Amino acid sequence: MSELFNYDLAFSRNIGWVTDAEQQVLKRKRIAIAGLGGVGGEHLITLVRLGITKFNLSDFDEFGCENTNRQAGANVNTYNHKKLDTMVDMALAINPELEITTFPDGINADNTDDFLKDVDCYVDSLDFFALEARRRVFRLCSEKGIPATTAAPIGMGTAYLNFLPGKMTFEEYFQFEGHTENEQYLKFFLGLTPAALQSAYLVDPTKLDLANKKGPSMPMGCKLAAGVAGAQVLKILLNRGDVLNVPWGLHFDAFQNKFKKTWRPGGNGNLLQKVAFKIAKSKMGI
């Protein structure tokens, strides 16, 4: 434990935007973050600097050179090191008083219940293509009454959706049942970003390769996503401010200088979403 660290002093610059009492509320809350790569690492660092001290963290992967452009923990000193271990060390270097429960095998059917134990909010950071694990986590969040938020890095912007207890669920919004794996990926993407603000400047659409589970990502999108997720978590935990739930969402794109508040009643069952799905399937040959 560092003798130099003092919680109240470390987070004193938060005061003014939050009260002293609210900062103490944040201190006592527990956040679950699944995945510590592009957005997950940024989410963790943002929430640690917000003053949250309790985390359930999962990741099974290692950093590689290909992660350098966007992942908070990726650098030449961490290549081939576990993302989970690296990000825990980074978090503890900010606040050595953190209480962290780790899940080094990632999220699976055997540990998801423990992963969500005593959690006040879930922040989704799983790999885009980890739909089975994502569906399991969101289903359990709904059953346990745990608020869940996802802020996706989309190009040079971010799109976010909240799933609050007792309201429209992840499955009701995305509607994956009865669709092939690639169709589910497409429905997930279209559901995340119904405004599609990023579509105007994707210079090489072939890099979005669903079949090989690859897609482009930018550092700006990850940074913006972490900021948006942090604001949503704060509002959820402090019960302060307007928290949107699907089918409402927001999308901000820094390249396009555009911001959209989206509304898709019925989720992917909405007529606009069905049309977008049909067009995208045709273009991608799914």
Side-chain angles (χ1 to χ4, degrees), residues 33 145 234 267:
I33 304 176
L234 180 149

Side-chain angles (χ1 to χ4, degrees), residues 177-213:
E177 286 299 322
H179 292 274
T180 67
E181 184 178 59
N182 282 342
E183 287 176 340
Q184 289 183 38
Y185 295 144
L186 183 55
K187 288 176 76 71
F188 184 51
F189 182 76
L190 294 173
L192 283 174
T193 172
L197 297 181
Q198 76 287 346
S199 59
Y201 60 91
L202 180 61
V203 295
D204 187 354
T206 66
K207 295 301 180 181
L208 180 58
D209 186 355
L210 297 183
N212 292 304
K213 300 183 179 181

Side-chain angles (χ1 to χ4, degrees), residues 161 163 168-176 187 190-192 194 245-248 263-277:
L161 303 170
F163 298 86
M168 190 176 197
T169 68
F170 184 87
E171 291 291 340
E172 289 170 342
Y173 180 78
F174 284 105
Q175 301 186 18
F176 294 128
K187 288 176 76 71
L190 294 173
L192 283 174
N245 191 84
V246 293
W248 293 96
W263 184 51
R264 292 295 186 272
N268 276 335
N270 183 277
L271 179 60
L272 291 176
Q273 293 298 100
K274 287 183 175 181
V275 171
F277 180 64

Side-chain angles (χ1 to χ4, degrees), residues 4-21:
L4 297 176
F5 182 81
N6 176 281
Y7 181 90
D8 293 336
L9 180 59
F11 303 104
S12 60
R13 293 296 182 93
N14 291 344
I15 307 305
W17 296 111
V18 298
T19 66
D20 288 292

Side-chain angles (χ1 to χ4, degrees), residues 26-37:
L26 294 175
K27 182 180 181 180
R28 296 190 296 269
K29 297 298 185 179
R30 179 175 293 276
I31 304 298
I33 304 176
L36 294 171

Side-chain angles (χ1 to χ4, degrees), residues 236-263:
I236 289 169
L237 296 182
L238 298 181
N239 193 27
R240 179 157 70 85
D242 182 24
V243 180
L244 299 178
N245 191 84
V246 293
W248 293 96
L250 296 180
H251 191 164
F252 170 69
D253 192 281
F255 186 88
Q256 289 282 72
N257 301 320
K258 290 183 178 180
F259 170 78
K260 291 285 187 181
K261 184 177 182 180
T262 58
W263 184 51

